[in-house]
Structure formats: C-alpha cells, structure tokens
Amino acid sequence: MAPVYPAFPVNKSGHLPVSSTHAIYYEECGLSTGTPIIYLHGGPGGGIEDSDRQYFDPSHYRSILFDQRGSGKSTPHACLEDNTTWHLVSDIEALREHLKIEKWIVFGGSWGSTLALTYSQKHPERCLGLILRGIFTLRREELEWFYQKGADMLFPDYFEPYKAIIPVEERGDMMKAYYKRLTGDNEEERLKCASAWSTWETATSKLMVDPEYIKKVDDPKWALAFARIECHFFVNGGWMRDGQLIEEAHKIKHLPIIIVQGRYDVVCPAKISWDLYQSLGGKDNKNVEYIILDDVGHSAHEKKVELALVDAADKFKSLKA
C-alpha cells in the first residue's frame, strides 16, 4: 500500500450558485485531462480539508472537491434553508454539468458514503465506480446507537458532557433536544451545544482518542456548521425512508465498488458496511471488494485507513470515463 500523495496545489476554484440562496465552493486538482473523481466530505457540515485531495494521484486523476451547502467556504454559512440530501444530490449533478464531466468515480466516507450511495442510486449512469469508507446509511438504529444509547457504553466519559447539556426530562430524544437548541435564538446556547455535539463526535472518531483532533472544535464557526447541519439532517432522517439505501443497493451492484471499514469504528459500526455488502450481493458479486481493517476506528486520518484509500484509488486507475 502506498502513502498519501505529497501535497499539491489546486488548479482552479470557485463558487457555483445552485439556488437563489446557496453557492457551493469547489476545487479542481490534478490532471485536467485525467479520469474525473469527486470527493464527498463527511458530516454533513464538515467541509473539505487540503489533505482530502492527497488520496488521488495528481498525474492520473482530475479530482473535484466541494463544500456542501452551509459548510466550509460555501455560502451562506451553516444555513439550513433548502438544505437536504436531495438538494445535495442535485448540487453534485449541477457541478458535474458545470465542469462538463460525463462520468466520474464517486469517493465518500462516513456521511460522504451516505451521499455517494444516494447519488449513485439516483444517477448510476453517471458513475464509473464507488470508493466508500466508514459506511453510514442513515437508519434510525444507526443514529440512536451513536447519539442516544450504545456508543456511550464504550465512551462514557465523553458521553457524559454531551448528555449533561440537555435537561433530564428531554434526554429521551437527544437529537431532538439538541436540534431545538442548535436552531434556537439563544446564540450562547447554540455555540455551547455545537461544541458539545462536535466534541462527542471528534473524541470517538479514532481508535485512540486524539486530543489534537478534538481541537477542531475550538473553531466555533466549524463546530456550529458541523453540529447544526448534522442534527438537521439526522432529525429528518435524511428525507428518505428508513433503510432506503440498503434496500435500493441493487441499483448499483453492477458498478465496481470498494468498501473500506474499520473493525472498531464506533461512529459507524462495521455491521452497517456488512449490511450494505450483503445487499450488493456479498461474496457472489465480484464487482464489490469489502475490506475490514482490524486495528482502526472511524476516521479517514488513521494511517491504515489512508493507505487503504490511496490503494483503492490506485486500483481504480483502470476505469476510464
């Protein structure tokens, strides 16, 4: 397995208006005539980072990265208006058409895998293949495991401050209670809840708790977009029926797909990726490669995960647009 590629610059960037309210920030990197690959960031609300482009060989790929509505450099910041899974799917298509791309490889981890599955199931004819990490399919049981009861059994010391910010009488539905505050008029309360929500997620993202990673939360602008947009999407179940992405996986089973999953992923447990793999045909489907990494958690920034993702992108160099 090869390490991530050395840092390289952005060739072109800009803002694409996608509605009367929203404009999404995007970047083009690598070889302008290369195989197109689009990177879908996590969260939702996380935004892209400079390191995200380093999975893709700049001498082969034309990599496209963008900040989803309300995230990163997209405007307006942390906006929930007209911000749903289906709006984001439409944005991906708008970006593809704007860049005059016929087909591309779709790459996404965590929430990015959710969006990749949603997009590819709606537009399979636009996909050359999928690279997915830390699978998340937005089922209610997945959300309750992490935000209500389940993951707290493994990280009780970090769950306690996340829970403590909500009054006892509202703790029967933590996401609903957070949403009420993250969308309320009290700015101090919004920022306090954004910090608690985001700290819980960053603390549990790696196999070993990484204090440096948790420091991302020190940026209140990032934390507010991350927490508000995530909570908005999750209380609304992603605006799709429960289990839809698993049930409709048959629509993409003909595509080359690589799934990379951490064995000890607490945010998106391995059972989710296993359910997806089975719904794609499991070991009988030679188009799908399922990779379990035995000593990592959820984050793409754990070394073995980085290596596996670079390896996956290198394997897909044989795909042609």
Side-chain angles (χ1 to χ4, degrees):
M1 288 186 177
V4 294
Y5 288 91
F8 53 90
V10 173
N11 296 338
K12 178 183 174 184
S13 64
H15 282 85
L16 176 67
V18 289
S19 77
S20 59
T21 302
H22 292 274
I24 57 170
Y25 171 79
Y26 70 93
E27 299 179 345
E28 285 194 78
C29 312
L31 183 65
S32 61
T33 57
T35 302
I37 186 166
I38 184 166
Y39 176 92
L40 304 178
H41 68 68
I48 57 174
E49 302 175 5
D50 289 345
S51 60
D52 293 334
R53 68 183 79 108
Q54 291 178 248
Y55 301 113
F56 315 120
D57 182 350
S59 70
H60 178 85
Y61 282 114
R62 177 189 180 188
S63 51
I64 315 298
L65 302 88
F66 79 102
D67 288 324
Q68 296 157 30
R69 294 190 182 201
S71 308
K73 296 178 184 177
S74 291
T75 59
H77 176 258
C79 178
L80 304 183
E81 179 186 340
D82 294 332
N83 196 348
T84 72
T85 309
W86 302 106
H87 285 104
L88 301 186
V89 168
S90 294
D91 292 349
I92 296 171
E93 272 296 273
L95 186 57
R96 184 191 62 77
E97 292 173 358
H98 175 70
L99 298 175
K100 297 178 172 57
I101 292 170
E102 183 68 22
K103 293 185 177 186
W104 48 13
I105 298 167
V106 182
F107 180 111
S110 191
W111 160 257
S113 75
T114 319
L115 188 54
L117 289 167
T118 311
Y119 173 79
S120 62
Q121 289 175 14
K122 186 170 178 60
H123 299 286
E125 74 285 355
R126 298 302 180 189
C127 302
L128 294 169
L130 282 75
I131 299 172
L132 307 172
R133 171 199 61 82
I135 306 303
F136 173 49
T137 66
L138 261 179
R139 290 177 295 185
R140 184 69 189 184
E141 63 179 346
E142 300 170 27
L143 293 166
E144 291 188 348
W145 153 267
F146 188 67
Y147 293 106
Q148 191 68 38
K149 186 167 181 61
D152 62 318
M153 299 287 283
L154 296 172
F155 289 87
D157 47 340
Y158 286 96
F159 193 82
E160 184 59 35
Y162 160 80
K163 180 177 70 172
I165 208 166
I166 301 299
V168 174
E169 61 272 17
E170 294 184 58
R171 291 179 188 170
D173 190 336
M174 292 290 287
M175 286 186 293
K176 180 179 178 181
Y178 263 93
Y179 191 57
K180 173 180 154 184
R181 290 160 176 80
L182 288 166
T183 57
D185 296 329
N186 186 324
E187 183 179 5
E188 182 180 354
E189 187 175 52
R190 280 202 309 270
L191 293 174
K192 186 178 177 183
C193 286
S195 177
W197 176 284
S198 303
T199 297
W200 165 238
E201 188 154 336
T202 53
T204 53
S205 284
K206 294 187 177 184
L207 180 65
M208 308 298 290
V209 175
D210 182 351
E212 287 300 311
Y213 191 60
I214 298 174
K215 285 182 180 178
K216 289 181 70 171
V217 178
D218 292 344
D219 177 358
K221 183 178 179 182
W222 179 86
L224 185 63
F226 187 72
R228 263 173 64 89
I229 296 173
E230 274 202 339
C231 200
H232 172 63
F233 274 66
F234 297 167
V235 297
N236 286 291
W239 298 272
M240 62 182 77
R241 70 178 183 278
D242 198 59
Q244 178 174 330
L245 295 179
I246 297 292
E247 293 168 12
E248 298 193 0
H250 63 90
K251 294 179 177 179
I252 56 171
K253 65 191 302 182
H254 62 289
L255 295 171
I257 300 172
I258 298 177
I259 298 170
V260 176
Q261 177 69 43
R263 173 75 70 188
Y264 300 107
D265 187 336
V266 171
V267 182
C268 298
K271 177 63 163 56
I272 305 169
S273 65
W274 183 253
D275 290 347
L276 175 64
Y277 178 55
Q278 294 302 311
S279 69
L280 288 167
K283 64 181 180 180
D284 294 328
N285 186 351
K286 302 308 179 187
N287 294 321
V288 182
E289 182 177 0
Y290 181 69
I291 301 166
I292 283 272
L293 302 175
D294 280 328
D295 52 356
V296 299
H298 179 68
S299 175
H301 298 293
E302 294 179 85
K303 184 58 63 178
K304 283 194 175 181
V305 181
E306 289 182 342
L307 294 173
L309 292 174
V310 172
D311 189 52
D314 284 350
K315 286 178 182 176
F316 273 9
K317 285 181 180 180
S318 60
L319 300 180
K320 302 297 181 184

